Amino acid sequence: MPPLKAVADAHRRLLEVTAPLTDEQVRTPSLLPGWSRAHVLAHLTDNARAFARVSALALRGELVDAYEGGRAERDAIIEGLAAGNAHSHRDGLTRHLTALEAVWSQASPADWELPVRYRNGDLAEVVRMRWREVWIHLVDLDLGVSPEEWTDDFCHHTIEFLLPRLPDGVALRQTDGPARWSPDGEISAVRDVEIAGPARDLAAWLTGRPTHRLTASELPELEPWPAHPEPAPDRSRAAG
């Protein structure tokens, strides 16, 4: 089963931290270069709408793009929604998060293997993509949420998803648990570079978010974010 409860928990946290926002705070820059908090909120809102559409049609056996107009449509929607005030952002988030979870509640255990065009995955992967989107962009909102709130399950999932960003010869070692990772899945006795740290810091580093507890002689430059049909504005700080 995909992490439905974990996504619902992330949604509740998102609504909690945005509940007291004022219009001025919404217009404040986020941690994503070039995006205000309003842009991040607009992205999270419309991502929920797009995923609800993809999921609902997948349950009917239909394959569709998340955005029929591609990147241009996505960007235009975000810009339009970003112009709203704090109330409109909260209202949009609440409506579309509720609608997305309602669509997923209709899925049977077998339905999670239904194909979707988005990332050429299945319906379960849409849930996992939403999980990443919400928790990573919660950090970008700069409202007191940091990777310290990420669960162990989320960190391990995110690290495994982002392993393609590691250059050859680099391995990761978790210092607050037994896990080790490498891009090729092979953990040899000798590696050119081993980066060690708590799982939350390893995950944060791979997502391009700030971290301060990693040990390595030098942190290597990461490879691009795994291929995505609709990349975020800055690939080194993307999500999903």
Side-chain angles (χ1 to χ4, degrees):
M1 287 287 291
L4 293 170
K5 182 180 182 302
V7 176
D9 289 343
H11 283 166
R12 283 194 293 272
R13 186 65 173 122
L14 176 60
L15 294 176
E16 179 183 55
V17 300
T18 56
L21 282 179
T22 65
D23 293 347
E24 181 179 359
Q25 289 172 322
V26 164
R27 292 190 293 269
T28 299
S30 74
L31 298 182
L32 273 177
W35 269 16
S36 66
R37 284 183 179 137
H39 286 90
V40 177
L41 293 172
H43 171 53
L44 287 169
T45 298
D46 194 58
N47 176 263
R49 179 203 61 80
F51 279 9
R53 173 177 175 269
V54 168
S55 299
L57 291 175
L59 290 172
R60 291 164 46 183
E62 299 181 38
L63 293 176
V64 296
D65 293 324
Y67 296 93
E68 293 181 356
R71 175 65 177 264
E73 179 187 347
R74 169 190 176 275
D75 291 350
I77 292 173
I78 290 173
E79 287 297 330
L81 291 176
N85 59 23
H87 172 76
S88 68
H89 283 290
R90 283 191 292 269
D91 180 66
L93 276 173
T94 301
R95 286 188 293 108
H96 289 294
L97 303 190
T98 301
L100 177 58
E101 292 180 19
V103 170
W104 287 342
S105 71
Q106 301 170 23
S108 71
D111 286 334
W112 298 114
E113 297 181 4
L114 289 171
V116 295
R117 189 173 294 165
Y118 200 67
R119 281 196 185 276
N120 296 315
D122 57 21
L123 189 57
E125 180 57 21
V126 175
V127 180
R128 289 188 285 268
M129 283 188 280
R130 182 63 184 177
W131 194 22
R132 296 192 298 268
E133 289 281 350
V134 178
W135 275 116
I136 294 173
H137 286 315
L138 264 167
V139 174
D140 296 331
L141 286 170
D142 196 20
L143 293 171
V145 177
S146 77
E148 289 301 308
E149 291 194 34
W150 295 354
T151 65
D152 288 344
D153 284 346
F154 178 79
C155 291
H156 282 234
H157 162 73
T158 300
I159 290 168
E160 289 162 9
F161 172 72
L162 292 175
L163 281 179
R165 299 201 73 191
L166 287 179
D168 290 339
V170 176
L172 304 179
R173 178 171 60 83
Q174 180 184 1
T175 57
D176 56 349
R180 297 182 70 193
W181 298 270
S182 68
D184 57 12
E186 298 292 332
I187 303 296
S188 60
V190 178
R191 283 276 174 175
D192 295 334
V193 177
E194 180 183 75
I195 300 169
R200 285 158 183 79
D201 291 80
L202 294 171
W205 176 62
L206 284 176
T207 67
R209 273 64 186 178
T211 182
H212 307 288
R213 295 182 297 182
L214 298 183
T215 59
S217 57
E218 182 179 355
L219 290 176
E221 182 177 351
L222 292 169
E223 299 293 332
W225 198 272
H228 193 303
E230 294 149 1
D234 180 354
R235 294 187 70 185
S236 67
R237 296 177 64 80

